[in-house]
Amino acid sequence: MIQPRPRTIPEATVARLAVYLRVLTSLADGGRTTVSSGELASAAGVNPAGLRKDLSHLGSCGVRGVGYDVRALRERIARVLGAERSRACVLVGIGNLGAALADYAGFGSRGFHFVGLFDASPARVGQSIGGLTVQSMAELEATVTATDASIGVIATPADVAQQVCDRLTGAGVRSILNFAPVTLVAPAGVDVRPVDLSVELQVLAFLGQQRAVPAEEVTA
Amino acid sequence: MIQPRPRTIPEATVARLAVYLRVLTSLADGGRTTVSSGELASAAGVNPAGLRKDLSHLGSCGVRGVGYDVRALRERIARVLGAERSRACVLVGIGNLGAALADYAGFGSRGFHFVGLFDASPARVGQSIGGLTVQSMAELEATVTATDASIGVIATPADVAQQVCDRLTGAGVRSILNFAPVTLVAPAGVDVRPVDLSVELQVLAFLGQQRAVPAEEVTA
DNA sequence: AGCCGCTTGTGAACGCAGGAACAAAGTCGC
DNA sequence: GCGACTTTGTTCCTGCGTTCACAAGCGGCT
């Protein structure tokens, strides 16, 4: 049996598809109706051949000699990514970063919305951010269950992140975005995606230093 | 001529080295003096063999039969990553996210410190965040030059991010961490590292959806 | 002093992602 | 109506990253 669209799309491709989706939305807002692979690749910062290969994972959608229909392609990528309907997320840890995430308008337009904000500090509980009221940690499980949230975002200090992760997974959350600078362990079947801002900076600094002294010795 | 330590360390390895550094610091604070590759790999969430290969890029530093000396390894990784002395960074865009970054204590302990905060809004200019005063955009180039900042962080709205990038690179910044949801174009020799929170969420959502319906058809 | 167990470091194989080149296909101009 | 050009979709190939597996080396015990 031939399955023309294998169920496995490489993770790197998925990340790029999300970028293409963003670029296509921008193009559609600008009134563009069609776009070529070269132009789209340039706007996304990737190789044109790679872009076509990425798009081939979701079936032929372009017209040879013309390019891709902006709206059709956008809708197709959105469907594959599951971004057509908004997903419910809960956010734990309303510090500076958590508050910024809760108030970030970009999520709503990209298929995500928060249904619960939680913090351990009584001073934070009751505050209103981005249209939601911060709840106490005691209400975490009940809210996750009631809203059927499938994604949890952890923006707590490092020392409580694992505990929060355990509670989230215990309540049924299957996907976790972790901003705390610790490596979380989660049960099988739960995806944890770490986002460590310090790591990003350190990689950046290393690349810059490597470029600056490509042949010099690291005095050991 | 043999070069025992080739100058090229894979980027994926560099990112993991930063994680090892974090774990080692935590272990050292806990009083541990030695650690095995298996234990360290478990704490970092990677494969033990891969960890040893990563460490082999910076020369043999372990003792067979015993493991690695926590402090020595930590210092060695810090030296290779260039984290022994703090690097000067400037941050542009003091919205919710920018303010959170400026106030994030984690950077200071990991070898980074901000020497300038900038925002276009007069309402923001003059505010004090994390010990620094927000400056107007007009002072950007002068501050970059005076402080010799090598890293720029962009946390502005998408529509001005490219313009900010141009000004930063024009002033001599060679490394840029971009939180704006656009693909930046920069001159050759400048590293741009995008961090798109929506993309992270979309990848996470896709993985979860793929796991939920591994064999079901995407109704096209 | 010698043996044993444990751990590192490295070599090889596997799988995957990225890039280039080419054939198919559709449109525009004549 | 037909030819030529443009652009997609695919195939091959090269290189990299990851994993497994084993030899080398060191400490501890008898």
Side-chain angles (χ1 to χ4, degrees), chain A residues 7 22 193 196 200 210, chain B residues 7 22 196 200 210:
Chain A
R7 284 294 127 227
R22 191 184 67 198
R193 231 179 138 71
D196 190 318
E200 299 294 329
Q210 198 178 37
Chain B
R7 285 293 128 225
R22 191 184 67 198
D196 190 319
E200 299 293 329
Q210 197 179 37

Side-chain angles (χ1 to χ4, degrees), chain B residues 88-178:
Chain B
C89 310
V90 294
L91 172 58
V92 184
I94 315 298
N96 287 307
L97 179 59
L101 294 173
D103 206 26
Y104 180 38
F107 291 147
S109 61
R110 305 274 286 282
F112 301 96
H113 64 279
F114 289 114
V115 296
L117 311 178
F118 301 91
D119 199 286
S121 164
R124 289 277 188 182
V125 176
Q127 286 186 0
S128 181
I129 299 178
L132 265 69
T133 301
V134 178
Q135 306 175 54
S136 80
M137 290 298 294
E139 304 173 72
L140 180 60
E141 283 83 358
T143 301
V144 169
T145 304
T147 61
D148 198 28
S150 59
I151 297 178
V153 180
I154 298 179
T156 66
D159 53 358
V160 297
Q162 181 62 59
Q163 178 185 341
V164 170
C165 175
D166 295 341
R167 289 182 63 179
L168 284 172
T169 56
V173 170
R174 307 285 291 271
S175 304
I176 290 180
L177 193 64
N178 175 39

